[in-house]
Amino acid sequence: MRNQLFLLPLALGLSVSLVAQSQNPLPNDPADPTSPAGGAALNRAPALPKAPMPRLPDRTPDLSGVWFGGGPIQDLAAGLAPGETIPLLPEAKKLMASRQSKDDPEANCLPTGVPRIAPYPWRIVQTPSHAKATHLFFLFEGNIHSYRQIFMDGRKHPQDPDPTWYGHSIGWWEGDTLVIDTVGFNDKFWFDFRGHPHTEKLHTIERWTRKDYGTLENRVTIDDPGAYARPFTLTFTAGLRPGEELMEYICNENNQDVEHLVGPARP
């Protein structure tokens, strides 16, 4: 049962990697059914009806619900198209090579940042639901029970945002695709268990498209001239978990294994 797994720490490099790999994979992972590209499932994904994407009363796509996956867990490169590579700059590559598993911020109960995701469910909330949404929230079950806030009311980014773990996000619709533009990140989180770094110059653009009733695709472009030679795009897929609810899991109460994480960061 899923609640039994909450006795384990949430995101502890190899520890969670092994837990996730021991479970049935998310069936709609875009890269490989055994890879972490779409997020590792903690139990078998339910059979979903063959149905089109639902819509809100204003005809915009309804993305609400509990989802699994949608971002990198073990290795950022899992979202690359075949033949592509991550264009790390020399200093960033050197920093990544020096990182140790025990120092992973997520393993120390800190937020995942963007686009990384923990191997646990998360929920999208659009508000108001009866009219054009002004705000959209990502609620995360794992780690520190954190959330992302996306402003959908037409505002712009502040000129000098305070650096934060999830940055400052504004969103809008392009057809049936939700576009989320985020700046103002700190440089503290890692992109994955391998320790891919970033700087405060990071700018992400996510394009979330609900392909059908049970499939949500995230195409995210990472632009960080402080760590990467050019922008690059990754694709991850989340699967719907209808009827499932988020559980309370406070990493601070359960994280007992960091001292056992030894060696360099790796998936």
Side-chain angles (χ1 to χ4, degrees), residues 50-138:
K50 298 295 184 181
M53 171 189 65
R55 295 182 182 272
L56 296 174
D58 70 346
R59 304 306 300 161
T60 56
D62 183 0
L63 306 185
S64 62
V66 174
W67 300 89
F68 243 107
I73 297 176
Q74 298 186 53
D75 190 349
L76 192 67
L80 289 171
E84 293 188 357
T85 58
I86 295 178
L88 274 164
L89 291 173
E91 284 302 311
K93 189 173 183 179
K94 181 179 179 181
L95 173 61
M96 180 178 167
S98 72
R99 286 182 161 173
Q100 301 294 301
S101 292
K102 65 181 178 62
D103 298 322
D104 185 347
E106 192 187 11
N108 289 277
C109 302
L110 294 169
T112 58
V114 178
R116 187 177 181 177
I117 199 162
Y120 293 85
W122 56 281
R123 179 184 288 278
I124 292 180
V125 176
Q126 294 163 259
T127 183
S129 60
H130 61 279
K132 182 178 176 62
T134 60
H135 294 73
L136 190 146
F137 298 91
F138 289 6

Side-chain angles (χ1 to χ4, degrees), residues 46-267:
L48 298 177
K50 298 295 184 181
M53 171 189 65
R55 295 182 182 272
L56 296 174
D58 70 346
R59 304 306 300 161
T60 56
D62 183 0
L63 306 185
S64 62
V66 174
W67 300 89
F68 243 107
I73 297 176
Q74 298 186 53
D75 190 349
L76 192 67
L80 289 171
E84 293 188 357
T85 58
I86 295 178
L88 274 164
L89 291 173
E91 284 302 311
K93 189 173 183 179
K94 181 179 179 181
L95 173 61
M96 180 178 167
S98 72
R99 286 182 161 173
Q100 301 294 301
S101 292
K102 65 181 178 62
D103 298 322
D104 185 347
E106 192 187 11
N108 289 277
C109 302
L110 294 169
T112 58
V114 178
R116 187 177 181 177
I117 199 162
Y120 293 85
W122 56 281
R123 179 184 288 278
I124 292 180
V125 176
Q126 294 163 259
T127 183
S129 60
H130 61 279
K132 182 178 176 62
T134 60
H135 294 73
L136 190 146
F137 298 91
F138 289 6
L139 309 180
F140 301 115
E141 174 181 295
N143 212 354
I144 58 171
H145 232 48
S146 53
Y147 69 93
R148 286 183 66 192
Q149 178 173 230
I150 294 92
F151 298 107
M152 302 286 293
D153 55 4
R155 73 182 68 188
K156 305 299 183 183
H157 292 304
Q159 289 190 351
D160 187 20
D162 291 330
T164 57
W165 292 88
Y166 293 117
H168 184 274
S169 296
I170 57 175
W172 62 89
W173 292 100
E174 291 184 359
D176 286 341
T177 294
L178 172 67
V179 181
I180 303 176
D181 184 299
T182 308
V183 298
F185 292 103
N186 64 32
D187 62 356
K188 297 179 181 180
F189 62 88
W190 295 6
F191 279 140
D192 53 20
F193 285 148
R194 290 194 64 192
H196 278 98
H198 70 282
T199 71
E200 291 187 359
K201 297 178 181 179
L202 174 63
H203 175 200
T204 64
I205 298 180
E206 302 155 84
R207 295 180 179 274
W208 294 88
T209 306
R210 190 166 185 174
K211 296 294 188 178
D212 52 37
Y213 177 74
T215 307
L216 182 62
E217 180 186 85
N218 177 22
R219 286 180 55 82
V220 54
T221 297
I222 294 173
D223 183 4
D224 182 358
Y228 300 91
R230 54 175 172 77
F232 58 99
T233 299
L234 309 158
T235 302
F236 301 95
T237 302
L240 183 68
R241 290 302 178 91
E244 189 160 329
E245 299 292 345
L246 302 187
M247 297 174 61
E248 181 172 283
Y249 173 60
I250 308 301
C251 187
N252 305 61
E253 298 176 346
N254 297 278
N255 187 359
Q256 303 172 17
D257 290 346
V258 172
E259 63 185 88
H260 303 300
L261 293 175
V262 296
R266 61 190 185 274

